[in-house]
Amino acid sequence: MPERLVVIGGDAAGMTAASQARRRRGPDDLEIVAFERGRFTSYSACGIPYWVSDTVKTREELIARTPEVFRSTFAIDVRTRSEVVGLDLARRCVRVRALAEDREYDERFDSLVIATGSVPMRPPVPGIDAAGVYGVQTLEDGVELRAEFDSGRVHRVVVVGGGYIGLEIAEAARIREVDVAVVDLAATPIGTFDPDIGRFVADAVRGLGIDLVLSDGVAEVLVTDGRASGVRTASGR
């Protein structure tokens, strides 16, 4: 029986590990199974704001390799919509929930790679989990956010966080001709930059017609009829 490598996570790190393992060992010697909670593999998460803005025209342009390519070309058993919910080291198996079928099963492994990435931090404020509040981490997030813009009901956007992704989403909203405000605790955007550089960035962002609310945090997401309708900052704005 060939050895089995299980990979948890189907984006850049996980599928790179799976592909490199396949280059070293053939399918008769090593079985490779990769589990991905979402529907997509090997995509450019950094490109999501540019797809939302329609600068990138299609979702497929963000995908380097589809699950079908990994299966047919690399002999990697990619299982999308499959969330690993448990790990048993003694039995050397993972517990998998097949989301589309709502069932769970065990899958054995000889070697295991965990490449799940991180969970974005949301400020612990009331209303943060209401409908109409979106993150931008996975391509699934991009699908939901773009659909929201395409609905025609979005007229104003508040972006919480003035880092790279926050400013890219704010710019995408302006390209979509939507009013947008960015709220950030820091005195200047992109806190990894020195303040003098941050001030140049702030001027450029304001030049795009984006309202910058700086040195102020989000205290509450206002909710109307179960849906986010505004943001109240710590200063009362």
Side-chain angles (χ1 to χ4, degrees):
M1 179 183 295
E3 290 185 31
R4 172 171 290 193
L5 168 66
V6 165
V7 177
I8 307 173
D11 200 8
M15 297 317 297
T16 297
S19 299
Q20 290 300 316
R22 175 56 72 228
R23 292 179 191 277
R24 291 170 180 266
R25 299 175 64 177
D28 294 335
D29 186 40
L30 179 68
E31 294 179 352
I32 304 175
V33 183
F35 296 105
E36 166 56 41
R37 182 172 58 183
R39 292 177 291 158
F40 309 102
T41 56
S42 296
Y43 56 84
S44 170
C46 293
I48 292 171
Y50 302 98
W51 180 47
V52 171
S53 71
D54 211 36
T55 303
V56 173
K57 296 299 182 183
T58 67
R59 180 182 66 197
E60 285 66 32
E61 291 177 69
L62 298 180
I63 300 173
R65 290 194 179 102
T66 65
E68 292 75 20
V69 168
F70 281 112
R71 295 180 192 120
S72 61
T73 304
F74 295 89
I76 296 173
D77 181 4
V78 178
R79 303 181 193 178
T80 56
R81 300 287 291 146
S82 297
E83 181 179 13
V84 174
V85 296
L87 170 61
D88 188 331
L89 291 177
R91 296 175 54 224
R92 301 191 73 78
C93 69
V94 292
R95 186 71 173 173
V96 183
R97 179 179 295 135
L99 299 176
E101 304 161 24
D102 193 25
R103 67 179 180 91
E104 293 188 3
Y105 63 94
D106 291 334
E107 193 75 33
R108 72 169 185 88
F109 64 82
D110 295 294
S111 300
L112 178 67
V113 173
I114 300 176
T116 52
S118 61
V119 177
M121 186 190 74
R122 287 191 171 198
V125 299
I128 196 68
D129 294 319
V133 179
Y134 294 90
V136 184
Q137 183 191 25
T138 69
L139 195 50
E140 304 277 354
D141 297 333
V143 170
E144 294 180 2
L145 187 55
R146 184 178 166 108
E148 184 77 4
F149 276 103
D150 288 343
S151 71
R153 62 174 175 246
V154 179
H155 304 291
R156 183 167 176 80
V157 169
V158 175
V159 178
V160 180
Y164 294 103
I165 300 299
L167 295 185
E168 289 168 2
I169 287 293
E171 182 184 38
R174 289 301 299 139
I175 291 173
R176 288 281 198 136
E177 299 183 343
V178 171
D179 292 335
V180 59
V182 176
V183 181
D184 197 282
L185 276 169
T188 55
I190 311 185
T192 53
F193 289 170
D194 289 338
D196 55 342
I197 301 298
R199 286 190 286 272
F200 283 118
V201 174
D203 290 342
V205 170
R206 291 189 179 102
L208 296 174
I210 295 169
D211 183 14
L212 278 180
V213 182
L214 300 173
S215 300
D216 205 356
V218 172
E220 180 184 8
V221 176
L222 307 178
V223 180
T224 303
D225 297 328
R227 188 173 181 81
S229 58
V231 164
R232 178 177 292 115
T233 70
S235 69
R237 179 168 174 174

